[in-house]
Amino acid sequence: MGKLKLLIDTDPGVDDALAILMAHRHADVVALSIATGNVRLAHTVGNALKLIETIGAQTPVFAGCATPLVLAAADAAFVHGADGFGDTGYLPSTRQAESEHAAQAILRLSHAHAGELVFVAMAPLTNLALALKLDATLPQRIARLVIMGGAVTGCGNTHRVPAEFNIGFDPEAAHVVFSTWPHFTLVDWEATLRHGVAFETMERWLAADNPQAHFFAAISRRTREWTRTRGRPRLMVADALAMAVALQPDIVTRAEDHHVAVELTGTLTRGATVVDWENRFGNAANAHIVMEVDQVRFEALVASALGAG
Ligand code: BDR
Ligand code: CA
């Protein structure tokens, strides 16, 4: 069997970087489409180009939307650094993004690799929503969609308590995707909390002597310190968890299928993912919600991406 083909929508971002390293270690990455989210687009594009250059890959990078679909939103620079990569002052890549818009690239690649692509969405869903609005037949050509987003019982990570960052940053985009994509896998923030990586384990991996480990050690330093000082017991790497599920679906040890909708208007709850746990509305389940994964296998995927496994 050939390697898995991935199309990754991402807003690098520290945990995005780890997921991208995993993807390049274990699959064929057809392209990175870049979103605004953790930080603004100029940084997320620059970070993607730098990471790809660092690992010596030739993956094309497509810049997407510079803003959410409707309303402006606060970024996550306080977690990832002002540049999204821990403010290390790295020398920018000499490479350029492709001239095609990310949404158009997603559609073109979905035709070129019809039925083969696993789409991994690790950012606000702006680019994917736009692609869907341009062509509603897109889901027919994507083998699987894995979304990192949401907080299925309301334990989110934004200033609106029940909202998780990727959904809370662009709720309208999430609504477009959740209300039209027939069935996707959802790796939410609460699963991320259950599947953190011990700081000491990560530090051991980061001592490996290779470009991936050196680069990730540098860009993640700030986020690791910030997470520790907040009293978190482990490092959360949301996008890496979603990537593990994309790479190895059988890593999931417990999941539930339910209908999930996105709250757009609540004062306290805009961006919340509302799960119909008891199927009260009789809607077909659109989400395969990941509840637990095999932690040993997850950590093995991360370690090998850092050249430490
Ligand atoms: C998600 O938000 C971002 O900060 C991370 O990169 C991840 O995609 C977690 O809520
Ligand atoms: Ca991300």
Side-chain angles (χ1 to χ4, degrees):
M1 208 173 75
K3 269 186 168 179
L4 209 61
K5 283 189 186 179
L6 301 182
L7 176 49
I8 304 174
D9 192 76
T10 173
D11 58 340
V14 172
D15 58 332
D16 297 78
L18 188 55
I20 292 166
L21 292 177
M22 293 164 70
H24 283 85
R25 171 73 180 77
H26 298 288
D28 279 340
V29 184
V30 169
L32 300 182
S33 62
I34 308 298
T36 298
N38 284 321
V39 289
R40 300 293 132 184
L41 192 66
H43 281 309
T44 54
V45 170
N47 291 346
L49 292 167
K50 181 68 184 182
L51 182 62
I52 294 305
E53 182 184 73
T54 302
I55 61 176
Q58 298 300 327
T59 313
V61 170
F62 297 89
C65 302
T67 60
L69 288 185
V70 180
L71 297 179
D75 66 22
F78 63 100
V79 184
H80 298 265
D83 74 350
F85 262 8
D87 298 326
T88 61
Y90 69 71
L91 197 63
S93 169
T94 52
R95 299 185 188 186
Q96 302 287 320
E98 309 295 316
S99 55
E100 191 179 18
H101 190 281
Q104 283 162 329
I106 290 168
L107 292 176
R108 179 177 54 76
L109 292 166
S110 76
H111 283 285
H113 305 274
E116 295 178 340
L117 292 178
V118 176
F119 192 107
V120 192
M122 329 193 291
L125 291 162
T126 321
N127 294 331
L128 186 56
L130 185 58
L132 261 174
K133 283 292 184 189
L134 288 169
D135 181 353
T137 68
L138 173 62
Q140 297 167 18
R141 298 186 298 280
I142 299 293
R144 275 191 291 137
L145 168 62
V146 177
I147 297 175
M148 191 286 125
V152 295
T153 70
C155 182
N157 60 350
T158 70
H159 67 284
R160 274 182 248 109
V161 173
E164 176 278 336
F165 180 79
N166 287 341
I167 307 301
F169 188 86
D170 193 345
E172 282 76 16
H175 168 72
V176 168
V177 175
F178 280 48
S179 61
T180 52
W181 205 282
H183 200 247
F184 51 87
T185 298
L186 190 66
V187 179
D188 83 325
W189 178 250
E190 296 167 28
T192 302
L193 289 174
R194 287 190 290 274
H195 289 287
V197 175
F199 291 106
E200 299 70 26
T201 304
M202 180 59 79
E203 277 151 23
R204 186 160 38 80
W205 295 337
L206 293 181
D209 189 14
N210 64 68
Q212 303 92 281
H214 292 168
F215 189 74
F216 190 71
I219 67 167
S220 65
R221 185 162 293 118
R222 188 184 182 287
T223 304
R224 285 182 282 129
E225 280 165 15
W226 181 84
T227 310
R228 265 188 203 273
T229 56
R230 292 199 65 218
R232 296 279 200 196
R234 293 175 293 277
L235 185 67
M236 269 75 71
V237 282
D239 295 336
L241 185 65
M243 184 56 71
V245 170
L247 291 168
Q248 296 185 355
D250 67 350
I251 203 171
V252 177
T253 52
R254 190 163 69 86
E256 295 195 26
D257 285 76
H258 295 288
H259 187 265
V260 183
V262 178
E263 175 60 81
L264 298 178
T265 57
T267 314
L268 298 173
T269 55
R270 177 172 153 78
T273 39
V274 180
V275 181
D276 188 356
W277 293 104
E278 297 177 337
N279 197 19
R280 293 188 197 170
F281 293 99
N283 295 317
N286 56 353
H288 185 63
I289 304 171
V290 172
M291 308 300 284
E292 304 283 346
V293 308
D294 182 326
Q295 182 75 16
V296 173
R297 284 178 60 187
F298 168 46
E299 294 195 5
L301 282 171
V302 177
S304 66
L306 292 169

